[in-house]
Amino acid sequence: MISCTEFIPAYSELFHYLDETFGREEIDRYWATLFKPDGKGGTLINALLAEGIHGCWTHWTHSLNEEAADFVMYLNEKRGFFYNEMFWCPSKGKLLKLQDEIGLKPYPDYCLHCDGYRLAVEKAGLKYIYNFIGTDKAACSMLIYDPEVFDGRVILDEDTLVMRRNAADNEYFHPSFHFSLSRCIHYIGDNYGMDHVRAAMTRYTKNALCKTIEAIPTRGLAAIRDKIVESYELDKAPDAVTCELTDNTLDVTVHYCPAIKWLVDNGKWLSPWFRYTTECVMEVLAAEAGAKFEMLSYDEQTGASTYRFTK
């Protein structure tokens, strides 16, 4: 399982893969699909259609606090504007940190994916100005406004809602990323098939889990066991997995997948390709350990599974 706290490097690596395999235009097609404001999955369009411009406040209050962003946010419904200034974007910030720590390079146009929100904003009859200056330092800002109300002046008065958060005010834990991963892997699988799913997951594993791979020559299957356990701990579900390690085998029992549980509990769509975000990653780690990997069982509805590594 890729935990929700590990999603961002997976996201960036999928951008890299699509670009390098199919060209830069494919990235724009992918983002247009991912952010399509059909009301079925995107929380922003649902909030905007239900609440008008206040939906911006509802959407980003939830997501930016779960992502532990460093930001200030303003909403003035009477004057018709919503303004958000991001001092430290947790997504880009995480990628910059990983670049320093393990050499993982962020996708060059990574921050441009946020422009996809414009599709929902415009469908709701609002306008949108996004300032991408500063994204190399994980900073940006955006102004969303109602053209029928906004007079061009961002005036903060007694009618203005204000929220200021420092990154340290919140814990970085955003389970909604499970839904994003479900849509990501589905796009590749549904459009290009299993070979490309496997190739994309191979790229992610080798680049983002390089520390685990580097530990395998000295620690063997124990390095893989520790990574599996860590992923479930990061998703606050240590009870979901049990590992049994011997000299030559590692048996893993997943009692339930916390990612799938969150998707089902929150009425989110689960891609039939989702299982491969676990299976393909484990196949790569097994190959790096010179081991055979077997997926012995897998429940599509809960993610409960058993699998084995054999040296």
Side-chain angles (χ1 to χ4, degrees):
M1 182 195 71
I2 298 174
S3 73
C4 62
T5 61
E6 298 169 311
F7 169 72
I8 294 304
Y11 205 31
S12 181
E13 287 298 293
L14 288 173
F15 295 167
H16 275 294
Y17 180 78
L18 288 172
D19 190 331
E20 293 172 6
T21 307
F22 304 108
R24 179 61 181 80
E25 296 80 8
E26 177 65 8
I27 295 294
D28 290 325
R29 285 192 291 271
Y30 169 62
W31 288 340
T33 300
L34 189 67
F35 286 91
K36 184 179 179 181
D38 53 16
K40 295 179 181 178
T43 56
L44 177 59
I45 186 60
N46 292 337
L48 291 174
L49 294 178
E51 306 174 37
I53 199 168
H54 193 279
C56 295
W57 182 272
T58 299
H59 173 80
W60 275 293
T61 293
H62 171 76
S63 64
L64 294 184
N65 279 291
E66 282 197 347
E67 292 183 60
D70 190 341
F71 68 96
V72 62
M73 194 162 62
Y74 306 95
L75 172 69
N76 191 312
E77 293 184 74
K78 287 187 177 181
R79 292 185 175 275
F81 70 82
F82 169 84
Y83 178 71
N84 180 61
E85 185 166 2
M86 188 88 76
F87 304 110
W88 180 254
C89 168
S91 295
K92 184 60 176 289
K94 188 175 187 69
L95 291 174
L96 293 175
K97 183 179 180 181
L98 288 172
Q99 181 172 240
D100 291 338
E101 292 177 348
I102 63 174
L104 186 75
K105 294 184 178 180
Y107 179 64
D109 288 341
Y110 179 83
C111 293
L112 291 181
H113 81 272
C114 284
D115 185 51
Y117 288 118
R118 174 174 45 82
L119 301 176
V121 168
E122 292 178 348
K123 183 172 182 177
L126 306 174
K127 297 295 183 181
Y128 182 101
I129 297 173
Y130 212 133
N131 172 20
F132 285 106
I133 296 174
T135 55
D136 59 327
K137 296 179 178 60
C140 66
S141 63
M142 67 171 145
L143 173 67
I144 296 173
Y145 62 93
D146 183 344
E148 300 297 323
V149 179
F150 185 58
D151 65 2
R153 297 178 297 167
V154 177
I155 296 177
L156 308 183
D157 56 24
E158 65 277 2
D159 296 316
T160 307
L161 293 177
V162 181
M163 179 178 290
R164 176 71 174 92
R165 292 288 187 272
N166 295 314
D169 293 338
N170 293 301
E171 177 189 11
Y172 180 80
F173 187 69
H174 189 45
S176 295
F177 281 151
H178 290 312
F179 180 55
S180 298
L181 182 60
S182 180
R183 299 182 74 185
C184 288
I185 201 66
H186 189 82
Y187 182 88
I188 296 176
D190 209 45
N191 285 286
Y192 300 109
M194 189 65 219
D195 287 347
H196 286 285
V197 167
R198 183 168 280 110
M201 287 292 95
T202 296
R203 179 192 174 102
Y204 160 74
T205 307
K206 289 188 173 182
N207 290 343
L209 304 187
C210 59
K211 288 294 185 182
T212 297
I213 291 172
E214 289 171 2
I216 287 175
T218 55
R219 301 193 62 234
L221 296 177
I224 299 176
R225 176 202 59 192
D226 291 352
K227 181 57 199 170
I228 292 170
V229 170
E230 179 191 44
S231 292
Y232 286 86
E233 289 176 343
L234 288 171
D235 236 60
K236 298 185 177 181
D239 64 316
V241 67
T242 302
C243 297
E244 296 182 10
L245 177 66
T246 67
D247 289 341
N248 296 310
T249 63
L250 170 60
D251 285 297
V252 180
T253 300
V254 177
H255 308 292
Y256 68 93
C257 174
I260 292 178
K261 184 179 187 303
W262 185 89
L263 290 168
V264 172
D265 288 350
N266 288 274
K268 299 296 185 181
W269 175 75
L270 172 63
S271 169
W273 295 92
F274 194 76
R275 64 178 290 172
Y276 299 110
T277 60
T278 294
E279 191 168 328
C280 292
V281 170
M282 297 307 153
E283 287 175 350
V284 175
L285 293 178
E288 293 290 336
K292 176 183 178 182
F293 173 79
E294 299 172 272
M295 180 64 79
L296 302 173
S297 67
Y298 188 89
D299 185 332
E300 299 282 353
Q301 302 305 311
T302 65
S305 61
T306 57
Y307 51 90
R308 176 178 296 153
F309 301 84
T310 307
K311 293 188 70 174

